[in-house]
Amino acid sequence: MAEGETESPGPKKCGPYISSVTSQSVNLMIRGVVLFFIGVFLALVLNLLQIQRNVTLFPPDVIASIFSSAWWVPPCCGTASAVIGLLYPCIDRHLGEPHKFKREWSSVMRCVAVFVGINHASAKVDFDNNMQLSLTLAALSIGLWWTFDRSRSGFGLGVGIAFLATVVTQLLVYNGVYQYTSPDFLYVRSWLPCIFFAGSITMGNIGRQLATYECKVIAEKSHQE
């Protein structure tokens, strides 16, 4: 090469830190989208059970879908599912306590099946009074946590999310957005916090499993490089 000539710079490569941050951001977005659609699907199916049994009643003018549900229910549940599913592994990392109990997809699918069963029981099983049903669903929900989670952070988040979701639901019913038949806990059914708790544990398990899968993929890519 002649003196004074400079070699033309090649394509600029991102450093390992930038590449890692970009990869994590993309994976976070993908996990959020997956969790959103899972939440939408579960909301459509489970809300249909509640409406068919006249547990929840929507004004006729807001019913606008083949699932006989208000249009805002699926996206709200999908958004909440995405937030919960991303929050659980984030809290685990923040506390330095990675969740390793039953970390396989078969366990996650069984957890989803139990959650659907708990929701189904709230709509289909007839008890003498709502208190008996509430105590039964509370025991089943805690049993779901013990069987598929067993972490203190999972239990604490589940209780906090159930409390917050119940308060929001009370406000929605109070403002006439929809209503529950035979309310016995202010404006809603007393078993509703149990459903929210079980749903939180379920979406947390899905979110943790997706995060575990992401870590495995990143580790394999790093090993190949």
Side-chain angles (χ1 to χ4, degrees):
M1 182 180 295
E3 190 176 352
E5 292 183 4
T6 58
E7 186 179 355
S8 59
K12 208 171 182 180
K13 293 183 178 179
C14 293
Y17 175 76
I18 300 297
S19 177
S20 174
V21 170
T22 303
S23 178
Q24 289 178 3
S25 300
V26 172
N27 285 322
L28 187 68
M29 183 176 66
I30 293 174
R31 280 192 284 138
V33 171
V34 171
L35 289 164
F36 175 84
F37 282 108
I38 292 175
V40 167
F41 175 76
L42 289 175
L44 289 172
V45 174
L46 300 180
N47 196 45
L48 178 63
L49 289 174
Q50 302 287 343
I51 294 175
Q52 284 182 337
R53 294 285 291 183
N54 291 324
V55 176
T56 55
L57 300 175
F58 289 92
D61 56 335
V62 303
I63 300 298
S65 77
I66 59 174
F67 291 96
S68 298
S69 177
W71 67 268
W72 51 267
V73 172
C76 287
C77 291
T79 303
S81 298
V83 171
I84 293 170
L86 295 175
L87 184 62
Y88 266 72
C90 179
I91 293 296
D92 291 339
R93 285 194 298 268
H94 180 72
L95 295 177
E97 299 176 355
H99 188 261
K100 297 180 180 179
F101 181 71
K102 292 189 176 181
R103 291 268 57 86
E104 62 271 346
W105 280 111
S106 59
S107 175
V108 172
M109 296 308 296
R110 288 195 296 271
C111 181
V112 173
V114 173
F115 169 60
V116 173
I118 291 174
N119 198 291
H120 185 76
S122 70
K124 293 287 187 179
V125 179
D126 294 322
F127 283 79
D128 292 337
N129 54 63
N130 279 336
M131 186 55 62
Q132 290 183 2
L133 176 59
S134 300
L135 292 175
T136 302
L137 294 182
L140 290 174
S141 299
I142 294 175
L144 181 141
W145 166 78
W146 179 256
T147 304
F148 300 104
D149 191 313
R150 294 193 187 180
S151 67
R152 290 175 297 176
S153 61
F155 186 86
L157 278 173
V159 171
I161 291 169
F163 173 78
L164 181 61
T166 302
V167 171
V168 171
T169 305
Q170 295 274 17
L171 292 174
L172 290 175
V173 176
Y174 176 77
N175 286 283
V177 177
Y178 69 104
Q179 61 180 320
Y180 283 86
T181 56
S182 305
D184 61 324
F185 180 48
L186 296 180
Y187 302 102
V188 301
R189 295 283 188 94
S190 56
W191 46 258
L192 190 62
C194 304
I195 300 297
F196 288 140
F197 176 82
S200 173
I201 298 299
T202 301
M203 295 311 303
N205 269 343
I206 297 174
R208 282 168 166 166
Q209 188 62 29
L210 288 173
T212 302
Y213 179 76
E214 172 196 331
C215 291
K216 288 181 180 178
V217 171
I218 293 176
E220 289 176 359
K221 287 182 178 179
S222 301
H223 180 70
Q224 291 174 357
E225 293 174 356

